Amino acid sequence: MLTRHRPWPAALVVCSALFLLGLDYTVLNVAIPGLQHDLGPSLAQTQWIVDGYALTLGGCVLAAGAIGDAYGRRRAFLDGLAVCLLASVFGGSGQSAAELVAARCGMGLGAALFMPATLSTIVHVFADPAKRRKAIAVWAAIAGIGALTGPVLGGWLVEQYGWRAAFWLNVPVVLAVMAAAALLVPESRNPRPERLDRPGAVLSSGGLLALVWGIIEAPGHGWTSGPVLAAFASAAVLLAVFLGWEIRCSTPLVPVRLFRQGPVGPASMSLAVMSFAMFGAMFLLTLYLQEVRGLSAWGAGVRMIPLSVGLASGAGVSPLLGKRFSTRLPVTVGLLLIAAGFVFLARLRPESGDGPVLAFEVLSGFGSGLLAPAATEIVMNTVPAATAGVGSALNDATRQIGSTLGVAVLGSVLATAFTSRVGTDAGPHLLARASASGVERVLDLDQIRIAFTDGLTAAAWVGGSIALLGAAAAWMALHPPTADVLPRQANLDSPGQRVLGPDA
C-alpha cells in the first residue's frame, strides 16, 4: 500500500497531530490574563485549566496505547482527534472555569487516544533503522516545537480574537488532519492483542490525580492541612497498589519487565525530568513576562521563539552524537544544559531585560533537543514492534506525567514563596489579584513584583536541582554497552517485524 513505499507522508500526517498536541498544552499559558479577566478563576482553578490537559493525557495514555495496539492505531488516532475536536468546541463556548477544566480534560482524553498512534505509526512504516532514527528525531523535534509555538501563536490569537481562540483554532486543523489520515496513514495492530489492564488504568489515574491535586491545592490549604495530607496519603497508597498489581498482572498496563534491566528505565526517567523542568519553567516564564515585565500576550509569546530554535538545533545534533559516541552522551549533556539554563532563570528580577531569558531558552532548548530523540529511540527500540503502541504510550506517559508535575510543583513553590511574602492566598497568577485583595494597601506594586521574582527564584533552583540530579542518574545508569545495543526480550518480536493490518 501507499505508506509501505511512501512512509514520510504518513509520518508527516501523524506529526501534524503531534504538533497540535504540543500547541494545545501551552497555548493557554499566555491567555491566562484575559481568561482571568473574563471568568475570574482562582489560582488553583487556573492551574487545573493548564494541568487538566496533561493530567488526563498522562493518566490515560497507557491504556489508550494498549487500545490502539488491540483495535487499530489509525482508528485510535481518528477517534482521539474527534474527541479533541468536540472538547475544543465545548471549551471555546465555555462560560465558567469549571467548564474550561472539563474541556481541557476532554482534550487530554482525546490526545491520549491519538498520541501513542503517532510514534507507533512511525515505527510501523519505517523498516530501515537509519530512516527510523531520523523520523524519531523529527517526531521529537515537532513534539517540542509544538509546545513552544503555543505561546507565540496563542499570543497573537489572544490579542486578535481573545482567549477563546485558543480553543477554536483546533477545529479546522483537526478536520484537515483527519482527512489526511484517512488517505495516508495505514492501519496496524497487534495480531495477538492482550486483555486491557483495567485495574491498572484506574489505580494509576487515581493515584496521579490525588498527587497532583495535593500539590496544586497545598499553597491555598496549607501543606500540612487535612485535605492535602489526605490527598498525598491516597496517592501513595494508590500508586503503591498499582505497582504491586503491575508486578503480578499477566497483561500489565506498564510492562514492568522492561524496567528490570537495560536502558528503558533511565531513558524514561530522563524524559520525565526534561518535561518536568521545561514545562514547569515555561509556565513560570510566561507569567513572569506578562505579570512582572508587563508584556502583552504576543510579546511574551515572541520571546519563546529561541526555545523552539534551540530545541530544533539540538534535535538535529542528537542523532549524530548518539551514533558517534553513545546515547548516554546526548541524554546527560542535555540535562546538564537544562540545569545550566535554570541558573539564568533564577537570576530574573523585575528590572531584568531579555538577556537572562534568552540564555535560559538557548541552553535549555538545545539541551532538550539533544535529550528527547536519544531517549525516545532507546524506549522504542526496546519495545517489540507488535506492541509499539504500548511503547509509544510509555514514552508519552513519562513526558506527560513529568510536565504535569512540573507545572504543579514549580507553580506551587512559586505560590508558596509569594504567599509567605505578601501575606495573602491570592496567589501570584495575577498581580491584580493581589491588589484586589487589599495587598496594595500594605505593599506597593514593586514589592509585589519582588515577591513574585523571589518565588520564581525558589522554583528555578528546585527545577535546576532536579535536572542536575537527573543528569547524574542518567550518566551512571545509561552504560554505553547496554544503552546502545538495546536488546529486545528473547520472548518478544524481532526489531524488523512488521505488523500490518488489513488496510496496510
Side-chain angles (χ1 to χ4, degrees), residues 125-207:
V125 298
F126 285 95
D128 180 74
K131 292 181 179 179
R132 186 188 303 149
R133 183 180 296 112
K134 292 180 181 178
I136 289 176
V138 171
W139 181 94
I142 290 178
I145 291 173
L148 300 177
T149 303
V152 182
L153 181 58
W156 183 82
L157 287 172
V158 168
E159 288 197 357
Q160 298 296 318
Y161 305 106
W163 62 265
R164 295 182 186 276
F167 289 94
W168 288 111
L169 73 88
N170 288 338
V171 175
V173 178
V174 168
L175 290 174
V177 174
M178 291 178 70
L183 294 173
L184 298 173
V185 177
E187 185 62 281
S188 65
R189 59 176 60 87
N190 184 354
R192 299 182 300 276
E194 298 177 337
R195 184 177 59 185
L196 179 63
D197 178 17
R198 291 184 176 87
V202 173
L203 289 169
S204 62
S205 299

Side-chain angles (χ1 to χ4, degrees), residues 54-130:
L55 177 62
T56 310
L57 173 54
C60 299
V61 71
L62 287 170
I67 290 172
D69 282 340
Y71 298 106
R73 294 158 190 149
R74 184 176 67 176
R75 179 184 298 179
F77 183 77
L78 293 172
D79 289 347
L81 286 172
V83 172
C84 187
L85 175 66
L86 294 175
S88 298
V89 172
F90 182 70
S93 307
Q95 299 298 320
S96 69
E99 291 180 2
L100 293 193
V101 172
R104 291 282 287 176
C105 290
M107 292 168 66
L109 178 61
L113 279 170
F114 75 71
M115 187 176 187
T118 61
L119 192 53
S120 57
T121 294
I122 288 176
V123 172
H124 166 64
V125 298
F126 285 95
D128 180 74

Side-chain angles (χ1 to χ4, degrees), residues 17 28 51 56 84 91 144 155 181 194 232 362 387 394 421 430 433 503:
L28 278 183
D51 246 353
T56 310
C84 187
E194 298 177 337
F232 289 147
V362 170
T387 56
L394 180 62
R421 287 291 302 272
L430 281 180
R433 288 183 62 82
D503 296 335

Side-chain angles (χ1 to χ4, degrees), residues 3-4 14 63 100 125 136 149 160 179 208 234 239 277 279 303 309 332 423 442 447 453 462:
T3 50
R4 180 176 283 276
V14 297
L100 293 193
V125 298
I136 289 176
T149 303
Q160 298 296 318
L208 290 171
S234 299
L239 293 175
F279 282 92
R303 282 165 175 79
V309 176
T332 304
V442 181
Q447 290 176 298
T453 53
V462 170

Side-chain angles (χ1 to χ4, degrees), residues 347-445:
R347 296 174 60 187
L348 287 176
R349 307 306 301 164
E351 66 277 5
S352 297
D354 290 335
V357 175
L358 179 62
F360 164 77
E361 293 183 350
V362 170
L363 286 172
S364 297
F366 190 81
S368 298
L370 284 178
L371 185 155
T376 299
E377 185 181 358
I378 289 173
V379 175
M380 293 309 297
N381 280 351
T382 309
V383 176
T387 56
V390 172
S392 177
L394 180 62
N395 175 78
D396 302 337
T398 54
R399 288 169 174 258
Q400 297 309 316
I401 292 170
S403 61
T404 300
L405 292 177
V407 173
V409 171
L410 298 189
S412 288
V413 172
L414 169 61
T416 300
F418 180 87
T419 300
S420 66
R421 287 291 302 272
V422 302
T424 177
D425 61 358
H429 274 275
L430 281 180
L431 299 181
R433 288 183 62 82
S435 298
S437 66
V439 176
E440 78 280 7
R441 291 191 292 270
V442 181
L443 302 173
D444 60 30
L445 197 56

Side-chain angles (χ1 to χ4, degrees), residues 269-292:
M269 177 275 297
S270 299
L271 288 169
V273 170
M274 177 199 73
S275 297
F276 178 99
M278 293 306 297
F279 282 92
M282 287 177 62
F283 180 68
L284 302 179
L285 189 56
T286 52
L287 289 174
Y288 166 80
L289 291 173
Q290 291 182 269
E291 303 306 324
V292 177

Side-chain angles (χ1 to χ4, degrees), residues 241-300:
V241 174
F242 168 71
L243 179 60
W245 171 260
E246 294 301 285
I247 293 174
R248 297 190 305 270
C249 182
S250 59
T251 57
L253 190 67
V254 177
V256 181
R257 67 186 184 277
L258 295 177
F259 292 90
R260 290 176 179 168
Q261 59 183 2
V264 173
S268 299
M269 177 275 297
S270 299
L271 288 169
V273 170
M274 177 199 73
S275 297
F276 178 99
M278 293 306 297
F279 282 92
M282 287 177 62
F283 180 68
L284 302 179
L285 189 56
T286 52
L287 289 174
Y288 166 80
L289 291 173
Q290 291 182 269
E291 303 306 324
V292 177
R293 294 273 302 274
L295 299 176
S296 66
W298 167 249

